[in-house]
Amino acid sequence: MNERLNKGWFARPTLTVAKDLLGCVLVHKTPRGAISGTIVEVEAYCGVTDRACHTYGGRRSKRNDVMFGEAGHAYIYLIYGMYNCFNITSDTDDHPCAILIRALRPLSGIDLMRANSPKIRKENELCMGPGRLCRAMAITRKEYGLPLFDPASRLYVTGGDNVQKFQIVKSKRIGIDYAGKDAERLWRFSIKDDRCVSHAPA
DNA sequence: CCAAAGATCGTCT
DNA sequence: GACGATCTTTGGA
């Protein structure tokens, strides 16, 4: 299963897509070479009824516009003035949802990751956390809206090894205390005991 | 090792 | 004009 994931794969219920992304491989073909990592931590943001989601209440803006389109596109935004966060749009067209990719286990192009993040010494920390991940992978808002399923796209996801065994840990999403009841939902998924997951199990 | 604070800017009110 | 789906640095124990 090293095929690029297709449009239909992303156009399924967001929680399903989020869990299935664990173990898949995110690839960015940059001018200097390909960079890739295995997805080990994600968070689901479930549309207009989820207070933590950028589309809560149907709010549509220039920033989140891509979430209102079809699944399988890159949703990238700036956080805290200096870091990018990479998400993948999911679900059906009338459900503006996305999945935040929070951590990867570096797989290839690790020398490029180190060049992008010279201050990070430990390999397992290169893509630990959404901001670091984007910096190491050279993902910026220039990649906003890219269709990941398009064979011509430089940014995409391939299926996992299919047979690989791991346990999925469910926990609360990070940094959304303002979301009231939705802050309690266990919509963060990670690979149990992986050394690249960004926060200890809740 | 850990807690605390600073950095920095696009987006929405 | 305020505030993040964050990370690094610093200072202390």
PDB file of all heavy atoms in Angstrom, chain C:
ATOM      1  P    DG C   1      -6.313  51.153  19.835  1.00  0.00           P
ATOM      2  OP1  DG C   1      -6.577  51.622  21.179  1.00  0.00           O
ATOM      3  OP2  DG C   1      -5.323  51.579  18.946  1.00  0.00           O
ATOM      4  O5'  DG C   1      -6.471  49.540  19.845  1.00  0.00           O
ATOM      5  C5'  DG C   1      -7.628  49.109  20.566  1.00  0.00           C
ATOM      6  C4'  DG C   1      -7.663  47.619  20.708  1.00  0.00           C
ATOM      7  O4'  DG C   1      -7.822  46.988  19.411  1.00  0.00           O
ATOM      8  C3'  DG C   1      -6.436  46.982  21.346  1.00  0.00           C
ATOM      9  O3'  DG C   1      -6.921  46.075  22.325  1.00  0.00           O
ATOM     10  C2'  DG C   1      -5.773  46.229  20.193  1.00  0.00           C
ATOM     11  C1'  DG C   1      -6.974  45.844  19.354  1.00  0.00           C
ATOM     12  N9   DG C   1      -6.691  45.604  17.935  1.00  0.00           N
ATOM     13  C8   DG C   1      -5.800  46.260  17.126  1.00  0.00           C
ATOM     14  N7   DG C   1      -5.786  45.820  15.903  1.00  0.00           N
ATOM     15  C5   DG C   1      -6.731  44.794  15.897  1.00  0.00           C
ATOM     16  C6   DG C   1      -7.162  43.938  14.855  1.00  0.00           C
ATOM     17  O6   DG C   1      -6.775  43.924  13.677  1.00  0.00           O
ATOM     18  N1   DG C   1      -8.141  43.041  15.286  1.00  0.00           N
ATOM     19  C2   DG C   1      -8.635  42.978  16.547  1.00  0.00           C
ATOM     20  N2   DG C   1      -9.554  42.073  16.775  1.00  0.00           N
ATOM     21  N3   DG C   1      -8.240  43.779  17.537  1.00  0.00           N
ATOM     22  C4   DG C   1      -7.287  44.646  17.148  1.00  0.00           C
ATOM     23  P    DA C   2      -6.027  45.442  23.477  1.00  0.00           P
ATOM     24  OP1  DA C   2      -6.447  46.027  24.761  1.00  0.00           O
ATOM     25  OP2  DA C   2      -4.626  45.497  23.055  1.00  0.00           O
ATOM     26  O5'  DA C   2      -6.529  43.930  23.457  1.00  0.00           O
ATOM     27  C5'  DA C   2      -7.914  43.674  23.219  1.00  0.00           C
ATOM     28  C4'  DA C   2      -8.098  42.224  22.827  1.00  0.00           C
ATOM     29  O4'  DA C   2      -7.840  42.068  21.408  1.00  0.00           O
ATOM     30  C3'  DA C   2      -7.162  41.257  23.553  1.00  0.00           C
ATOM     31  O3'  DA C   2      -7.925  40.138  23.926  1.00  0.00           O
ATOM     32  C2'  DA C   2      -6.087  40.946  22.506  1.00  0.00           C
ATOM     33  C1'  DA C   2      -6.866  41.056  21.200  1.00  0.00           C
ATOM     34  N9   DA C   2      -6.094  41.490  20.040  1.00  0.00           N
ATOM     35  C8   DA C   2      -5.137  42.464  19.991  1.00  0.00           C
ATOM     36  N7   DA C   2      -4.634  42.655  18.789  1.00  0.00           N
ATOM     37  C5   DA C   2      -5.314  41.736  18.003  1.00  0.00           C
ATOM     38  C6   DA C   2      -5.241  41.434  16.626  1.00  0.00           C
ATOM     39  N6   DA C   2      -4.426  42.053  15.781  1.00  0.00           N
ATOM     40  N1   DA C   2      -6.052  40.467  16.159  1.00  0.00           N
ATOM     41  C2   DA C   2      -6.872  39.845  17.013  1.00  0.00           C
ATOM     42  N3   DA C   2      -7.032  40.045  18.323  1.00  0.00           N
ATOM     43  C4   DA C   2      -6.211  41.018  18.754  1.00  0.00           C
ATOM     44  P    DC C   3      -7.334  38.976  24.898  1.00  0.00           P
ATOM     45  OP1  DC C   3      -8.396  38.559  25.848  1.00  0.00           O
ATOM     46  OP2  DC C   3      -6.011  39.395  25.389  1.00  0.00           O
ATOM     47  O5'  DC C   3      -7.145  37.798  23.848  1.00  0.00           O
ATOM     48  C5'  DC C   3      -8.208  37.477  22.964  1.00  0.00           C
ATOM     49  C4'  DC C   3      -7.709  36.509  21.934  1.00  0.00           C
ATOM     50  O4'  DC C   3      -6.989  37.220  20.907  1.00  0.00           O
ATOM     51  C3'  DC C   3      -6.725  35.464  22.483  1.00  0.00           C
ATOM     52  O3'  DC C   3      -7.002  34.214  21.877  1.00  0.00           O
ATOM     53  C2'  DC C   3      -5.384  35.997  22.020  1.00  0.00           C
ATOM     54  C1'  DC C   3      -5.772  36.547  20.661  1.00  0.00           C
ATOM     55  N1   DC C   3      -4.804  37.487  20.040  1.00  0.00           N
ATOM     56  C2   DC C   3      -4.651  37.480  18.652  1.00  0.00           C
ATOM     57  O2   DC C   3      -5.331  36.709  17.977  1.00  0.00           O
ATOM     58  N3   DC C   3      -3.762  38.333  18.083  1.00  0.00           N
ATOM     59  C4   DC C   3      -3.052  39.160  18.849  1.00  0.00           C
ATOM     60  N4   DC C   3      -2.189  39.980  18.241  1.00  0.00           N
ATOM     61  C5   DC C   3      -3.187  39.181  20.265  1.00  0.00           C
ATOM     62  C6   DC C   3      -4.065  38.331  20.818  1.00  0.00           C
ATOM     63  P    DG C   4      -7.309  32.839  22.700  1.00  0.00           P
ATOM     64  OP1  DG C   4      -8.161  31.973  21.816  1.00  0.00           O
ATOM     65  OP2  DG C   4      -7.694  33.054  24.065  1.00  0.00           O
ATOM     66  O5'  DG C   4      -5.813  32.265  22.782  1.00  0.00           O
ATOM     67  C5'  DG C   4      -5.410  31.027  22.217  1.00  0.00           C
ATOM     68  C4'  DG C   4      -5.789  30.908  20.787  1.00  0.00           C
ATOM     69  O4'  DG C   4      -5.487  32.146  20.093  1.00  0.00           O
ATOM     70  C3'  DG C   4      -5.030  29.866  20.000  1.00  0.00           C
ATOM     71  O3'  DG C   4      -5.731  29.559  18.822  1.00  0.00           O
ATOM     72  C2'  DG C   4      -3.736  30.615  19.682  1.00  0.00           C
ATOM     73  C1'  DG C   4      -4.303  31.959  19.333  1.00  0.00           C
ATOM     74  N9   DG C   4      -3.398  33.077  19.688  1.00  0.00           N
ATOM     75  C8   DG C   4      -3.089  33.499  20.941  1.00  0.00           C
ATOM     76  N7   DG C   4      -2.289  34.537  20.956  1.00  0.00           N
ATOM     77  C5   DG C   4      -2.064  34.803  19.626  1.00  0.00           C
ATOM     78  C6   DG C   4      -1.267  35.818  19.025  1.00  0.00           C
ATOM     79  O6   DG C   4      -0.593  36.692  19.583  1.00  0.00           O
ATOM     80  N1   DG C   4      -1.303  35.742  17.639  1.00  0.00           N
ATOM     81  C2   DG C   4      -2.017  34.808  16.926  1.00  0.00           C
ATOM     82  N2   DG C   4      -1.931  34.882  15.604  1.00  0.00           N
ATOM     83  N3   DG C   4      -2.772  33.866  17.476  1.00  0.00           N
ATOM     84  C4   DG C   4      -2.743  33.925  18.827  1.00  0.00           C
ATOM     85  P    DA C   5      -6.532  28.282  18.433  1.00  0.00           P
ATOM     86  OP1  DA C   5      -6.894  28.542  17.055  1.00  0.00           O
ATOM     87  OP2  DA C   5      -7.546  28.142  19.490  1.00  0.00           O
ATOM     88  O5'  DA C   5      -5.625  26.959  18.391  1.00  0.00           O
ATOM     89  C5'  DA C   5      -5.364  26.209  19.571  1.00  0.00           C
ATOM     90  C4'  DA C   5      -4.652  24.913  19.215  1.00  0.00           C
ATOM     91  O4'  DA C   5      -5.569  24.058  18.495  1.00  0.00           O
ATOM     92  C3'  DA C   5      -3.443  25.068  18.295  1.00  0.00           C
ATOM     93  O3'  DA C   5      -2.527  23.994  18.515  1.00  0.00           O
ATOM     94  C2'  DA C   5      -4.037  24.935  16.902  1.00  0.00           C
ATOM     95  C1'  DA C   5      -5.108  23.866  17.158  1.00  0.00           C
ATOM     96  N9   DA C   5      -6.252  24.012  16.276  1.00  0.00           N
ATOM     97  C8   DA C   5      -7.355  24.784  16.467  1.00  0.00           C
ATOM     98  N7   DA C   5      -8.224  24.706  15.492  1.00  0.00           N
ATOM     99  C5   DA C   5      -7.657  23.817  14.593  1.00  0.00           C
ATOM    100  C6   DA C   5      -8.074  23.323  13.350  1.00  0.00           C
ATOM    101  N6   DA C   5      -9.216  23.646  12.785  1.00  0.00           N
ATOM    102  N1   DA C   5      -7.254  22.451  12.725  1.00  0.00           N
ATOM    103  C2   DA C   5      -6.101  22.121  13.300  1.00  0.00           C
ATOM    104  N3   DA C   5      -5.598  22.527  14.461  1.00  0.00           N
ATOM    105  C4   DA C   5      -6.437  23.380  15.066  1.00  0.00           C
ATOM    106  P    DT C   6      -1.334  24.266  19.683  1.00  0.00           P
ATOM    107  OP1  DT C   6      -0.562  23.063  19.821  1.00  0.00           O
ATOM    108  OP2  DT C   6      -2.005  24.879  20.839  1.00  0.00           O
ATOM    109  O5'  DT C   6      -0.406  25.343  19.004  1.00  0.00           O
ATOM    110  C5'  DT C   6       0.310  25.077  17.785  1.00  0.00           C
ATOM    111  C4'  DT C   6       1.749  25.489  17.927  1.00  0.00           C
ATOM    112  O4'  DT C   6       1.816  26.744  18.633  1.00  0.00           O
ATOM    113  C3'  DT C   6       2.617  24.519  18.720  1.00  0.00           C
ATOM    114  O3'  DT C   6       3.623  24.054  17.862  1.00  0.00           O
ATOM    115  C2'  DT C   6       3.185  25.337  19.860  1.00  0.00           C
ATOM    116  C1'  DT C   6       3.015  26.761  19.395  1.00  0.00           C
ATOM    117  N1   DT C   6       2.851  27.731  20.489  1.00  0.00           N
ATOM    118  C2   DT C   6       3.766  28.756  20.582  1.00  0.00           C
ATOM    119  O2   DT C   6       4.700  28.883  19.821  1.00  0.00           O
ATOM    120  N3   DT C   6       3.537  29.626  21.600  1.00  0.00           N
ATOM    121  C4   DT C   6       2.517  29.592  22.520  1.00  0.00           C
ATOM    122  O4   DT C   6       2.415  30.435  23.387  1.00  0.00           O
ATOM    123  C5   DT C   6       1.586  28.504  22.368  1.00  0.00           C
ATOM    124  C7   DT C   6       0.429  28.383  23.299  1.00  0.00           C
ATOM    125  C6   DT C   6       1.795  27.634  21.368  1.00  0.00           C
ATOM    126  P    DC C   7       4.661  22.928  18.331  1.00  0.00           P
ATOM    127  OP1  DC C   7       4.987  22.161  17.135  1.00  0.00           O
ATOM    128  OP2  DC C   7       4.137  22.256  19.518  1.00  0.00           O
ATOM    129  O5'  DC C   7       5.960  23.748  18.749  1.00  0.00           O
ATOM    130  C5'  DC C   7       6.556  24.566  17.773  1.00  0.00           C
ATOM    131  C4'  DC C   7       7.635  25.429  18.377  1.00  0.00           C
ATOM    132  O4'  DC C   7       7.068  26.357  19.310  1.00  0.00           O
ATOM    133  C3'  DC C   7       8.729  24.665  19.121  1.00  0.00           C
ATOM    134  O3'  DC C   7       9.963  25.080  18.585  1.00  0.00           O
ATOM    135  C2'  DC C   7       8.542  25.096  20.578  1.00  0.00           C
ATOM    136  C1'  DC C   7       7.931  26.475  20.419  1.00  0.00           C
ATOM    137  N1   DC C   7       7.105  26.924  21.570  1.00  0.00           N
ATOM    138  C2   DC C   7       7.340  28.189  22.117  1.00  0.00           C
ATOM    139  O2   DC C   7       8.237  28.895  21.656  1.00  0.00           O
ATOM    140  N3   DC C   7       6.586  28.599  23.156  1.00  0.00           N
ATOM    141  C4   DC C   7       5.617  27.813  23.637  1.00  0.00           C
ATOM    142  N4   DC C   7       4.894  28.262  24.654  1.00  0.00           N
ATOM    143  C5   DC C   7       5.354  26.529  23.083  1.00  0.00           C
ATOM    144  C6   DC C   7       6.113  26.128  22.060  1.00  0.00           C
ATOM    145  P    DT C   8      11.366  24.393  19.059  1.00  0.00           P
ATOM    146  OP1  DT C   8      12.062  24.023  17.823  1.00  0.00           O
ATOM    147  OP2  DT C   8      11.116  23.403  20.114  1.00  0.00           O
ATOM    148  O5'  DT C   8      12.144  25.612  19.733  1.00  0.00           O
ATOM    149  C5'  DT C   8      12.143  26.868  19.090  1.00  0.00           C
ATOM    150  C4'  DT C   8      12.683  27.911  20.040  1.00  0.00           C
ATOM    151  O4'  DT C   8      11.690  28.230  21.035  1.00  0.00           O
ATOM    152  C3'  DT C   8      13.936  27.455  20.792  1.00  0.00           C
ATOM    153  O3'  DT C   8      14.900  28.480  20.698  1.00  0.00           O
ATOM    154  C2'  DT C   8      13.450  27.237  22.212  1.00  0.00           C
ATOM    155  C1'  DT C   8      12.276  28.199  22.321  1.00  0.00           C
ATOM    156  N1   DT C   8      11.214  27.788  23.280  1.00  0.00           N
ATOM    157  C2   DT C   8      10.711  28.726  24.159  1.00  0.00           C
ATOM    158  O2   DT C   8      11.114  29.874  24.197  1.00  0.00           O
ATOM    159  N3   DT C   8       9.730  28.266  24.990  1.00  0.00           N
ATOM    160  C4   DT C   8       9.197  26.994  25.036  1.00  0.00           C
ATOM    161  O4   DT C   8       8.310  26.706  25.827  1.00  0.00           O
ATOM    162  C5   DT C   8       9.769  26.069  24.088  1.00  0.00           C
ATOM    163  C7   DT C   8       9.277  24.662  24.049  1.00  0.00           C
ATOM    164  C6   DT C   8      10.737  26.501  23.265  1.00  0.00           C
ATOM    165  P    DT C   9      16.389  28.253  21.287  1.00  0.00           P
ATOM    166  OP1  DT C   9      17.297  28.707  20.232  1.00  0.00           O
ATOM    167  OP2  DT C   9      16.529  26.887  21.847  1.00  0.00           O
ATOM    168  O5'  DT C   9      16.462  29.276  22.507  1.00  0.00           O
ATOM    169  C5'  DT C   9      15.738  30.491  22.443  1.00  0.00           C
ATOM    170  C4'  DT C   9      15.632  31.103  23.827  1.00  0.00           C
ATOM    171  O4'  DT C   9      14.493  30.553  24.533  1.00  0.00           O
ATOM    172  C3'  DT C   9      16.860  30.834  24.717  1.00  0.00           C
ATOM    173  O3'  DT C   9      17.239  32.048  25.329  1.00  0.00           O
ATOM    174  C2'  DT C   9      16.359  29.820  25.733  1.00  0.00           C
ATOM    175  C1'  DT C   9      14.883  30.177  25.835  1.00  0.00           C
ATOM    176  N1   DT C   9      14.003  29.061  26.256  1.00  0.00           N
ATOM    177  C2   DT C   9      12.993  29.325  27.153  1.00  0.00           C
ATOM    178  O2   DT C   9      12.800  30.416  27.627  1.00  0.00           O
ATOM    179  N3   DT C   9      12.210  28.245  27.470  1.00  0.00           N
ATOM    180  C4   DT C   9      12.344  26.952  26.998  1.00  0.00           C
ATOM    181  O4   DT C   9      11.586  26.073  27.359  1.00  0.00           O
ATOM    182  C5   DT C   9      13.431  26.750  26.059  1.00  0.00           C
ATOM    183  C7   DT C   9      13.671  25.400  25.503  1.00  0.00           C
ATOM    184  C6   DT C   9      14.194  27.811  25.743  1.00  0.00           C
ATOM    185  P    DT C  10      18.664  32.167  26.128  1.00  0.00           P
ATOM    186  OP1  DT C  10      19.358  33.326  25.568  1.00  0.00           O
ATOM    187  OP2  DT C  10      19.323  30.835  26.175  1.00  0.00           O
ATOM    188  O5'  DT C  10      18.165  32.518  27.606  1.00  0.00           O
ATOM    189  C5'  DT C  10      16.993  33.312  27.777  1.00  0.00           C
ATOM    190  C4'  DT C  10      16.415  33.065  29.154  1.00  0.00           C
ATOM    191  O4'  DT C  10      15.613  31.862  29.149  1.00  0.00           O
ATOM    192  C3'  DT C  10      17.495  32.856  30.238  1.00  0.00           C
ATOM    193  O3'  DT C  10      17.217  33.693  31.334  1.00  0.00           O
ATOM    194  C2'  DT C  10      17.345  31.394  30.613  1.00  0.00           C
ATOM    195  C1'  DT C  10      15.853  31.163  30.344  1.00  0.00           C
ATOM    196  N1   DT C  10      15.484  29.756  30.130  1.00  0.00           N
ATOM    197  C2   DT C  10      14.361  29.272  30.779  1.00  0.00           C
ATOM    198  O2   DT C  10      13.679  29.953  31.512  1.00  0.00           O
ATOM    199  N3   DT C  10      14.073  27.968  30.519  1.00  0.00           N
ATOM    200  C4   DT C  10      14.776  27.093  29.712  1.00  0.00           C
ATOM    201  O4   DT C  10      14.413  25.940  29.549  1.00  0.00           O
ATOM    202  C5   DT C  10      15.936  27.661  29.070  1.00  0.00           C
ATOM    203  C7   DT C  10      16.777  26.805  28.178  1.00  0.00           C
ATOM    204  C6   DT C  10      16.230  28.953  29.305  1.00  0.00           C
ATOM    205  P    DG C  11      18.486  34.228  32.278  1.00  0.00           P
ATOM    206  OP1  DG C  11      18.513  35.702  32.190  1.00  0.00           O
ATOM    207  OP2  DG C  11      19.693  33.443  31.980  1.00  0.00           O
ATOM    208  O5'  DG C  11      17.948  33.817  33.715  1.00  0.00           O
ATOM    209  C5'  DG C  11      16.571  34.027  34.046  1.00  0.00           C
ATOM    210  C4'  DG C  11      16.128  32.993  35.070  1.00  0.00           C
ATOM    211  O4'  DG C  11      15.836  31.736  34.401  1.00  0.00           O
ATOM    212  C3'  DG C  11      17.229  32.671  36.103  1.00  0.00           C
ATOM    213  O3'  DG C  11      16.666  32.676  37.388  1.00  0.00           O
ATOM    214  C2'  DG C  11      17.697  31.284  35.697  1.00  0.00           C
ATOM    215  C1'  DG C  11      16.398  30.694  35.156  1.00  0.00           C
ATOM    216  N9   DG C  11      16.596  29.540  34.300  1.00  0.00           N
ATOM    217  C8   DG C  11      17.600  29.325  33.394  1.00  0.00           C
ATOM    218  N7   DG C  11      17.511  28.166  32.785  1.00  0.00           N
ATOM    219  C5   DG C  11      16.382  27.571  33.329  1.00  0.00           C
ATOM    220  C6   DG C  11      15.776  26.325  33.061  1.00  0.00           C
ATOM    221  O6   DG C  11      16.132  25.459  32.269  1.00  0.00           O
ATOM    222  N1   DG C  11      14.643  26.122  33.834  1.00  0.00           N
ATOM    223  C2   DG C  11      14.139  27.021  34.750  1.00  0.00           C
ATOM    224  N2   DG C  11      13.046  26.650  35.404  1.00  0.00           N
ATOM    225  N3   DG C  11      14.690  28.194  35.012  1.00  0.00           N
ATOM    226  C4   DG C  11      15.808  28.411  34.268  1.00  0.00           C
ATOM    227  P    DG C  12      17.683  32.762  38.684  1.00  0.00           P
ATOM    228  OP1  DG C  12      17.429  34.003  39.396  1.00  0.00           O
ATOM    229  OP2  DG C  12      19.061  32.412  38.257  1.00  0.00           O
ATOM    230  O5'  DG C  12      17.111  31.564  39.557  1.00  0.00           O
ATOM    231  C5'  DG C  12      15.729  31.545  39.899  1.00  0.00           C
ATOM    232  C4'  DG C  12      15.262  30.117  40.034  1.00  0.00           C
ATOM    233  O4'  DG C  12      15.516  29.415  38.801  1.00  0.00           O
ATOM    234  C3'  DG C  12      16.040  29.356  41.137  1.00  0.00           C
ATOM    235  O3'  DG C  12      15.128  28.841  42.092  1.00  0.00           O
ATOM    236  C2'  DG C  12      16.749  28.242  40.386  1.00  0.00           C
ATOM    237  C1'  DG C  12      15.909  28.098  39.131  1.00  0.00           C
ATOM    238  N9   DG C  12      16.648  27.508  38.028  1.00  0.00           N
ATOM    239  C8   DG C  12      17.741  28.019  37.366  1.00  0.00           C
ATOM    240  N7   DG C  12      18.189  27.232  36.430  1.00  0.00           N
ATOM    241  C5   DG C  12      17.345  26.129  36.483  1.00  0.00           C
ATOM    242  C6   DG C  12      17.347  24.938  35.707  1.00  0.00           C
ATOM    243  O6   DG C  12      18.117  24.625  34.806  1.00  0.00           O
ATOM    244  N1   DG C  12      16.326  24.089  36.087  1.00  0.00           N
ATOM    245  C2   DG C  12      15.421  24.334  37.078  1.00  0.00           C
ATOM    246  N2   DG C  12      14.497  23.398  37.319  1.00  0.00           N
ATOM    247  N3   DG C  12      15.401  25.446  37.806  1.00  0.00           N
ATOM    248  C4   DG C  12      16.400  26.278  37.460  1.00  0.00           C
ATOM    249  P    DA C  13      15.763  28.348  43.527  1.00  0.00           P
ATOM    250  OP1  DA C  13      14.936  28.934  44.594  1.00  0.00           O
ATOM    251  OP2  DA C  13      17.226  28.578  43.510  1.00  0.00           O
ATOM    252  O5'  DA C  13      15.490  26.774  43.495  1.00  0.00           O
ATOM    253  C5'  DA C  13      14.191  26.295  43.228  1.00  0.00           C
ATOM    254  C4'  DA C  13      14.235  24.790  42.990  1.00  0.00           C
ATOM    255  O4'  DA C  13      14.928  24.527  41.744  1.00  0.00           O
ATOM    256  C3'  DA C  13      14.994  24.027  44.083  1.00  0.00           C
ATOM    257  O3'  DA C  13      14.322  22.820  44.389  1.00  0.00           O
ATOM    258  C2'  DA C  13      16.331  23.733  43.441  1.00  0.00           C
ATOM    259  C1'  DA C  13      15.977  23.614  41.964  1.00  0.00           C
ATOM    260  N9   DA C  13      17.082  23.976  41.062  1.00  0.00           N
ATOM    261  C8   DA C  13      17.905  25.054  41.151  1.00  0.00           C
ATOM    262  N7   DA C  13      18.794  25.142  40.188  1.00  0.00           N
ATOM    263  C5   DA C  13      18.531  24.020  39.405  1.00  0.00           C
ATOM    264  C6   DA C  13      19.126  23.527  38.228  1.00  0.00           C
ATOM    265  N6   DA C  13      20.150  24.111  37.613  1.00  0.00           N
ATOM    266  N1   DA C  13      18.626  22.386  37.718  1.00  0.00           N
ATOM    267  C2   DA C  13      17.591  21.802  38.336  1.00  0.00           C
ATOM    268  N3   DA C  13      16.953  22.178  39.431  1.00  0.00           N
ATOM    269  C4   DA C  13      17.471  23.302  39.922  1.00  0.00           C
TER     270       DA C  13
END
